[in-house]
Amino acid sequence: MAVFEAIPWTFDVDSIHFWIHYGFVILGFVLAVVSMVVQCMKPAPYGRHQQSHDSWGPMINQRLGHIVSDFIPGVILFILVYFLYGSEDARFGYTNQTFLWLWLLHYIHRGIIHPLLMRYSQKEVSLGITLGGLFPNLIFSFVCSDWIGSAVYADNYFYDPRFILGIILFVVGYIINKWADAKLRRLRNQGDNQGYHIPYGGLFEVISCPNYFGEMLEWTGWALGTWSLAGCVWLLFGCSTFIPRSKHNHTWYKEHFEDYPNRRKALIPFVY
Ligand SMILES: NC(=O)c1ccc[n+]([C@@H]2O[C@H](COP(=O)([O-])OP(=O)(O)OC[C@H]3O[C@@H](n4cnc5c(N)ncnc54)[C@H](OP(=O)(O)O)[C@@H]3O)[C@@H](O)[C@H]2O)c1
């Protein structure tokens, strides 16, 4: 097979499996558009945008909320779908296993390590927010796992520029995302003050939300590397948070800190 084969995989599943997969892809696309519109109008009420009058149901522990919304879909469901619903040809392929480990690397950190380490400003979050994260995460984790568990990539896909560039983008984004989240955690631990401080250093010198920027690179790499509609809708859904929320966070910083550096952008260095 030539290196630049337009479709580098086969998705050889029965018609029920096919329509379950693409049905969820379509649902994911609709969710991403709705999420973008809603979040452009008002930031989701968690963290610095959580108001005392926000009533999205009963309050639950913030750490627990994050573990439920991220670990269950991102790790448990993902592994179950990959190994129980995928095909043998796909799930033991080196390419597919590379994608599996990249995803798990991200979600083991996001779903368990970060929530256990973080000192959140609010001890509780409303159940509605947790479910609002859990529900789409279940859908997108299913669809991404189903893809890499069922699509059989060409043997030489390891040398394909889409795969190589996708992996590079994912790893660079992962490092930026984890570095920025760790920096914010350290900032939170400064002194006795559990509030917010201006972050400085590295990408924080040019953008307000390097953690979102890093994660956006990760999922761009995932979409490119997997060369799939599943990856595209997942990237789109992530952007439906990163694009509006980075702007809301950026505006929040400027309103709360008089000395907030003027040159910073919200999400993309020098651009947005
Ligand atoms: N894939 C997706 O769709 C998606 C969606 C949303 C988030 N995420 C990821 O989840 C992670 C967390 O997202 P987030 O929206 O919570 O990010 P965030 O608003 O940047 O906050 C990250 C953590 O750092 C704390 N923090 C933020 N700014 C701070 C400051 N200036 N000083 C001290 N502490 C500060 C926050 O505390 P508080 O919680 O107390 O505000 C929060 O716990 C990120 O890596 C993001 O990429 C992914």
Side-chain angles (χ1 to χ4, degrees), residues 33 37 63 68 94 153 245 247 260:
V33 173
V37 172
R63 284 184 214 287
V68 167
Y94 290 120
Y153 286 86
R245 197 169 179 89
K247 203 55 140 187
Y260 195 69

Side-chain angles (χ1 to χ4, degrees), residues 46-48 107 110 114 118-122 177 181 184 187-188 195-197 199 211-212 215 219 234 237-238 241-242 245 249 253:
Y46 70 87
R48 79 192 81 203
Y107 267 101
R110 167 61 37 72
H114 181 77
M118 189 65 210
R119 280 166 66 191
Y120 296 102
S121 60
Q122 320 269 348
N177 176 262
D181 275 343
L184 293 174
L187 214 52
R188 175 56 52 79
Y196 296 90
H197 309 267
N211 50 352
Y212 295 167
E215 188 155 348
W219 302 129
W234 175 227
F237 184 75
T241 294
F242 307 142
R245 197 169 179 89
N249 287 356
Y253 273 123

Side-chain angles (χ1 to χ4, degrees), residues 51 105 109 161 190 271:
Q51 310 287 330
L105 199 66
H109 192 282
Q190 251 177 32
V271 177

Side-chain angles (χ1 to χ4, degrees), residues 66-125:
H66 279 275
I67 292 170
V68 167
S69 67
D70 288 48
F71 189 75
I72 292 176
V75 178
I76 298 177
L77 179 76
F78 202 87
I79 290 174
L80 288 177
V81 172
Y82 186 86
F83 285 106
L84 299 182
Y85 195 51
S87 77
E88 213 156 281
D89 285 349
R91 65 174 176 254
F92 292 114
Y94 290 120
T95 309
N96 306 57
Q97 296 222 346
T98 306
F99 292 133
L100 172 71
W101 282 107
L102 287 178
W103 180 284
L104 290 181
L105 199 66
H106 177 90
Y107 267 101
I108 288 170
H109 192 282
R110 167 61 37 72
I112 199 90
I113 297 175
H114 181 77
L116 291 182
L117 291 180
M118 189 65 210
R119 280 166 66 191
Y120 296 102
S121 60
Q122 320 269 348
K123 296 270 172 284
E124 296 188 312
V125 66

